[in-house]
Amino acid sequence: MTPLLKVNELSKFYGNRIGCENVSFDLYPGEVMGIVGESGSGKSTLLNCLAGHLEPDTGEVLFQTRADGMRDTVTMSEPERRMLGRTDWAFVHQHARDGLRMGVSAGGNVGERLMAVGARNYGDIRSKAIDWLDRVEIAEDRVDDRPSAFSGGMQQRLQIARNLVTGPRLVFMDEPTGGLDVSVQARLLDLLRGLVREMGLSAIIVTHDLAVVRLLADRLMVMKSGQVVESGLTDQVLDDPQHGYTQLLVSSVLQV
Amino acid sequence: MITKSENAPGTASEMPDYNFAYLDEQTKRMIRRAILKGLAVPGYQVPFASREMPMPYGWGTGGVQVSASVLTPEDVLKVIDQGADDTTNAVSIRKFFERTAGVETTEQTDQAGVIQTRHRIPEEQLREDQILVYQVPIPEPLRFLEPRETETRKMHALEEYGLMHVKLYEDISHNGAISTSYAYPVKVEGRYVMDPSPIPKFDNPKLEMAAIQLFGAGREQRIYALPPYTQVVSLDFEDYPFEATKADHACDLCACETSYLDEVIVDDAGGRMYVCSDTDFCRSRRAAGHVGTLGTPFEGDAA
């Protein structure tokens, strides 16, 4: 099996400071990778480098494109990278406001990606939008409401619908459950797990919440000070942490 | 070319207070370069160093600068505001060029060489030897959906125009039809999406014309252009096609059923009349003997 995403010795520096350093991993189709670490450990820098939002200083990010096989997304042209960004990739922001157009109705938000890849039939766009709202448990009669009229959890679900409507193969998630209360978190995680399994998505989830990776991720990478200090199967890493920092992280979770 | 008659009043040499057409020659040169670039890349917004003009922004400072740069002493100028020759904006800009350029002015569309317009295209078909100059308030069609200039520039560069359809989608989902009735976005030669300035969408099909069309936005410092016979397509959906709409009525003065109409409230009891927004077109039809339901037979300029 060939990997969907192959990262080779990726580094990003902010002047003399390290963003992330020498990160390498493979992600296979249908696999969910979790990245955990404290804030400032370089998780988000890494994710933004992978998703093409930041330009890494060294290293390559190879993506298995539909047309041309393995391509380095760092060196490909900007139009190609942006095209990937709205077709095969999806990016779920921590704050739904960053990923949604707050002045545009829910239907328009979901339809935007369809229209961006050339859909020009209003009826089709609308029925697809309604279908997707239904899949993320938003009632059909809210399709013409603006996201500002939605609760935080609904906004986050809308953001997910908007991202998945074009059938991406790789989803980047930056703290998808951050800022949501625990019961809403649980529902969102349930929904995400369902969608990931059902669509066979690959995903990279950045979080500091170990419960999230326990539920969603197949594999885990632990980052500290820009370095990957430990990686492996999620249960293996969480149940038998080897690195001192991972042990600290696991033991600091409150037991209820 | 249309030349002014021998005894026309005022030439540049008699006006020592100003350079011909107000702007200095270096400024006109800079603006002409922007215009040429705009003509070479139809629909592309060319930045230019817009000057302070002796009128407020929003009164057509962009159009005035473009007109000043293309005017020659032999030109005949017509200025219209929402189709009318006799409203404040049209009168003051016409006076401005009478004073600063000394060019002959006219209200007749077929007599004019340069026509500066605010928010209308004349009903009468324009010819290859004419130039139509538009006053543009906001040149960026994507602005209300994407406030970042850096981002909209990138979207134009990479032809990412899906967002424009989001606006039309919103129209249909809220109103059941594309309710955008002016400043209706168009795609030029299959490449750039362009805001045709706030002309009614009734005028959109007329954008493919024989005359040169220049668009000037003074505050936003952008010039763009359509060369003659450029392909201009109004954006729409397959199941909600573009429609050039107008009031479903005939002109009450000249009985024309195909022109764009203004609705005029005539009393406080709900009385109203519809008249052509293009005053010169209406006048010439009445002079030719057409009389509408509320009109009286034409008696020269008294009407």
Side-chain angles (χ1 to χ4, degrees), chain B residues 22-34:
Chain B
Y22 189 75
L23 295 173
D24 62 278
E25 294 306 314
Q26 284 304 312
T27 300
K28 284 196 239 178
R29 196 172 125 115
M30 174 270 295
I31 294 174
R32 285 176 195 142
R33 288 169 77 151

Side-chain angles (χ1 to χ4, degrees), chain A residues 201-221:
Chain A
L201 293 174
S202 303
I204 297 177
I205 299 176
V206 161
T207 182
H208 53 247
D209 187 343
L210 291 181
V212 171
V213 286
R214 178 75 97 172
L215 264 171
L216 282 176
D218 304 311
R219 270 199 306 147
L220 196 58
M221 262 177 13

